[in-house]
Amino acid sequence: MDDMKDKSIHFTAERLTEEIKKMSSYKNFYSEIQKMVSSTCVKQSNFKETLLEAIRQAGMETELRNTVFHWIRSHNNYDCVNGYPLKEPLAYLRKAQLQWEKRVHKSLNSMCSELGVALARLRLASDKDELIEKWTELSTYDIDLSQYRPVYAPKDFLEVLMWIRSPNYHTMDTGGNWDFTHIPLKVKSLNELRMLYQEISRGEPLLGVNPYMGSTTSNFPTLEVERTVLGEKVIESNHAPVAQEFLKKGCPRGLRGHMWAQVLGASLKPTHHDYFNELKYYVLQYDLLVDKLIIKDVQLTASNDDQYFVYEDVLYQVMLCFSRDTEVLSIFHHSASNPFHAVLKNKQPTIENTVVFPPSGIIPFHGFTMYATPFLYLYDDPVAVYHTFRAFYMRYLFRLHEVSSHQQGILCLCLLFEKLLQRHESQLWFHFKHIKIQPARVVFKWLMRGFSGYLPPEQLLYLWDLVLAYDSLEVLPLLAVAILSFRKDNLLQVETLANVEAVLADLSSLKVMPLLQLALLRD
């Protein structure tokens, strides 16, 4: 057994070494090591010890530890066979995802045909000049989008999910697509969630519960001051696992940007500005169909939101650059989905003439741009917004719009929501059954957008603190159940979907942390 363990560690170490060599930061790291070896602080007579000490003193040991931490986290995010990523293992879900992709691609192609536009073309010189001139105020960019429509909306995706059936699971219920119990996937119980979110379930002092909560020690006037002092030390240490642990009790707003970037490995470097400018160049050079879809989506969502409309210009920059980012394609190595491929104009349909569209592989849907809006509250620099958002999307958010059996996928989150509601709010569950309204239909838009655009920004940031802290999206369905429980008395008095949605339309008065504590502390 020890021999097998040693081989496994050796195999992992070899693979980690090879992948670090492929990282963009490796060349600079290796160059710094070479300079260090030739410096006076490294002694030939005691080479190993003095080199390791020099690496520690320069902060490079912490950088290397963070690199390993991010690599392990990213590789724990999907199933593997012999150390290599495995796409969706269940055949019926693979089939459902492929059918969904065909439907989305057909919708995209139909839009091109109806409007007489190409998926991509070189941008006209006049259009390019206008875009350069208005880059920092893209909300004034004049373009007619009246004929464009979202490729799909969350409700379209929900309909597809509700009709998925496992061939190995038969139910006596002939009521049609009522819930997700016909998909036999394992999800956590409330007790298992308590074990995961221990700091919350134990009722420990948390930021976001009471702004005037006293400090846990006599050295600070409030908990927020205590957390701020501690948080500054965490940031100074620059150690990603410590930053992740710190987030479990909430983060002071002034430190959140640094903390998130540390946990996600997205701390700003000079190369990030160069990369963002390169993406900007491609935005100016090429006119893509998804540009119109992105601009239309911002107009339909963030532009009409009192909390986000002031950040509209930066949001355009971030999302247009995101559509050109080929780094995002790496998620398809372990994602259940596949990027859309298009044949170059006037070329034969061969592999050589086929390209991924858009370059990021992600086709935006209605509400997609809201994934980036919380990051606008964290940074003044669009480059910092971009790289932290991209890291968060590639770690978590892509799972919210694909058909997958992954525990962090939207199917499992819906199933977790239903099981928690049925088990712990049975009166509400049977009320929904009586009035013939699927519970998932009520909360699906919250789950698919990670509550972005539904919760006030400050509360949403506390929620996403927990996503990062516990490396899990399972807090989303837990909060959804807590909200329904909180509005239970009103929900039991209404009997139509419109009235149910009216009861749940305004979440602006809700506080995330107290609701989650109540949900986890319940009997």
Side-chain angles (χ1 to χ4, degrees):
M1 183 64 76
D2 288 341
D3 184 49
M4 289 176 63
K5 184 179 178 181
D6 289 342
K7 285 183 179 178
S8 175
I9 293 171
H10 177 71
F11 175 82
T12 303
E14 278 191 338
R15 185 150 176 251
L16 172 60
T17 303
E18 290 302 314
E19 295 210 14
I20 285 178
K21 287 179 181 179
K22 297 174 186 175
M23 293 178 183
S24 57
S25 59
Y26 174 74
K27 186 176 180 181
N28 183 58
F29 187 85
Y30 187 67
S31 175
E32 290 299 317
I33 290 285
Q34 286 182 311
K35 291 177 185 176
M36 199 169 285
V37 168
S38 60
S39 69
T40 56
C41 59
V42 177
K43 311 294 182 186
Q44 186 175 357
S45 59
N46 193 16
F47 181 79
K48 180 179 178 181
E49 286 74 12
T50 55
L51 176 60
L52 290 175
E53 180 59 30
I55 288 173
R56 276 193 291 270
Q57 291 294 331
M60 295 175 71
E61 182 189 27
T62 301
E63 185 181 341
L64 186 58
R65 285 178 181 273
N66 285 341
T67 300
V68 174
F69 170 76
H70 297 307
W71 185 86
I72 291 172
R73 264 168 47 97
S74 65
H75 285 69
N76 283 343
N77 202 27
Y78 49 81
D79 299 322
C80 292
V81 173
N82 295 326
Y84 291 94
L86 174 71
K87 290 176 80 73
E88 176 52 49
L90 299 178
Y92 73 98
L93 292 183
R94 283 201 305 271
K95 181 180 178 182
Q97 174 62 25
L98 286 171
Q99 289 174 338
W100 170 243
E101 287 169 4
K102 287 179 182 177
R103 181 174 161 183
V104 172
H105 300 164
K106 183 179 179 182
S107 176
L108 198 66
N109 286 324
S110 296
M111 195 184 307
C112 288
S113 300
E114 289 171 17
L115 302 178
V117 297
L119 287 172
R121 64 181 177 86
L122 282 172
R123 200 176 288 282
L124 299 174
S126 57
D127 187 24
K128 182 178 178 180
D129 291 341
E130 184 182 4
L131 207 56
I132 292 171
E133 182 186 346
K134 295 182 175 178
W135 181 251
T136 57
E137 46 185 28
L138 285 170
S139 55
T140 64
Y141 180 55
D142 188 22
I143 182 171
D144 181 16
L145 298 173
S146 57
Q147 300 300 310
Y148 290 87
R149 64 183 186 276
V151 177
Y152 68 95
K155 64 179 181 180
D156 303 316
F157 189 42
L158 175 61
E159 293 300 332
V160 171
L161 298 181
M162 293 292 285
W163 283 106
I164 293 174
R165 295 290 183 273
S166 168
N168 302 317
Y169 185 80
H170 300 282
T171 177
M172 301 299 292
D173 188 358
T174 57
N177 56 337
W178 162 255
D179 57 25
F180 287 96
T181 55
H182 48 266
I183 302 177
L185 299 175
K186 187 180 186 313
V187 295
K188 289 184 174 66
S189 66
L190 185 60
N191 281 335
E192 288 171 320
L193 289 174
R194 286 187 184 120
M195 292 297 294
L196 174 62
Y197 300 107
Q198 286 187 31
E199 286 75 10
I200 305 174
S201 61
R202 288 197 297 248
E204 295 184 12
L206 306 171
L207 286 185
V209 175
N210 180 351
Y212 308 108
M213 183 177 287
S215 167
T216 55
T217 70
S218 58
N219 299 330
F220 305 98
T222 64
L223 179 64
E224 185 163 5
V225 174
E226 178 188 342
R227 297 286 293 162
T228 301
V229 172
L230 179 60
E232 287 170 348
K233 293 178 180 177
V234 170
I235 290 171
E236 189 178 351
S237 75
N238 192 32
H239 203 200
V242 178
Q244 184 182 20
E245 189 68 24
F246 177 82
L247 287 175
K248 290 182 178 180
K249 295 187 179 182
C251 186
R253 65 186 68 172
L255 305 180
R256 189 175 273 121
H258 287 290
M259 209 68 71
W260 284 23
Q262 271 191 20
V263 175
L264 290 165
S267 297
L268 210 56
K269 298 182 175 74
T271 53
H272 287 159
H273 286 86
D274 296 337
Y275 191 74
F276 190 76
N277 286 330
E278 186 181 336
L279 295 175
K280 176 184 173 182
Y281 168 79
Y282 290 125
V283 173
L284 299 174
Q285 200 72 15
Y286 299 100
D287 182 9
L288 305 184
L289 173 64
V290 293
D291 294 348
K292 282 84 170 177
L293 299 179
I294 287 169
I295 294 170
K296 180 86 169 184
D297 190 53
V298 173
Q299 290 177 354
L300 292 174
T301 55
S303 298
N304 294 321
D305 192 314
D306 292 343
Q307 309 285 348
Y308 297 112
F309 76 94
V310 293
Y311 300 109
E312 186 179 353
D313 295 320
V314 178
L315 188 58
Y316 284 127
Q317 294 178 37
V318 167
M319 298 312 295
L320 289 174
C321 286
F322 180 82
S323 67
R324 270 75 172 177
D325 196 342
T326 55
E327 290 288 326
V328 180
L329 289 173
S330 64
I331 65 173
F332 294 105
H333 296 317
H334 53 270
S335 165
S337 56
N338 303 280
F340 174 55
H341 290 81
V343 178
L344 295 172
K345 189 176 181 181
N346 301 323
K347 297 287 185 179
Q348 292 296 319
T350 62
I351 294 176
E352 293 79 9
N353 297 330
T354 303
V355 295
V356 172
F357 179 85
S360 67
I362 308 298
I363 297 173
F365 53 86
H366 177 58
F368 179 77
T369 55
M370 293 301 290
Y371 282 154
T373 52
F375 299 90
L376 301 171
Y377 274 82
L378 303 183
Y379 310 100
D380 295 327
D381 185 352
V383 181
V385 173
Y386 179 77
H387 283 278
T388 312
F389 156 66
R390 186 187 71 173
F392 194 85
Y393 176 83
M394 293 175 67
R395 177 72 186 158
Y396 304 106
L397 299 177
F398 76 93
R399 300 221 178 261
L400 299 180
H401 56 92
E402 67 173 18
V403 183
S404 165
S405 62
H406 196 280
Q407 274 211 327
Q408 303 294 316
I410 191 69
L411 266 179
C412 280
L413 298 184
C414 287
L415 190 58
L416 176 58
F417 161 76
E418 288 186 345
K419 291 198 170 182
L420 289 175
L421 187 70
Q422 186 176 14
R423 172 68 179 84
H424 302 284
E425 282 294 352
S426 55
Q427 189 179 5
L428 261 180
W429 176 267
F430 287 113
H431 177 67
F432 280 124
K433 192 106 175 173
H434 174 69
I435 61 178
K436 296 181 172 58
I437 295 175
Q438 300 98 324
R441 193 175 296 280
V442 176
V443 304
F444 186 76
K445 58 187 179 182
W446 299 346
L447 300 180
M448 189 170 168
R449 279 193 4 199
F451 282 92
S452 181
Y454 297 105
L455 288 171
E458 184 179 25
Q459 297 304 312
L460 180 65
L461 293 171
Y462 277 125
L463 179 65
W464 285 17
D465 277 345
L466 299 178
V467 171
L468 282 166
Y470 295 96
D471 199 24
S472 173
L473 290 166
E474 289 157 316
V475 71
L476 302 181
L478 180 64
L479 179 62
V481 172
I483 291 172
L484 264 58
S485 180
F486 187 70
R487 297 274 171 90
K488 178 178 178 179
D489 291 343
N490 291 332
L491 289 170
L492 291 174
Q493 294 176 32
V494 297
E495 297 190 351
T496 66
L497 181 59
N499 288 338
V500 168
E501 290 179 339
V503 169
L504 300 170
D506 183 12
L507 306 184
S508 61
S509 62
L510 298 182
K511 305 295 182 186
V512 165
M513 302 302 272
L515 279 175
L516 291 172
Q517 279 191 328
L518 287 171
L520 289 169
L521 289 170
R522 71 193 310 161
D523 294 333

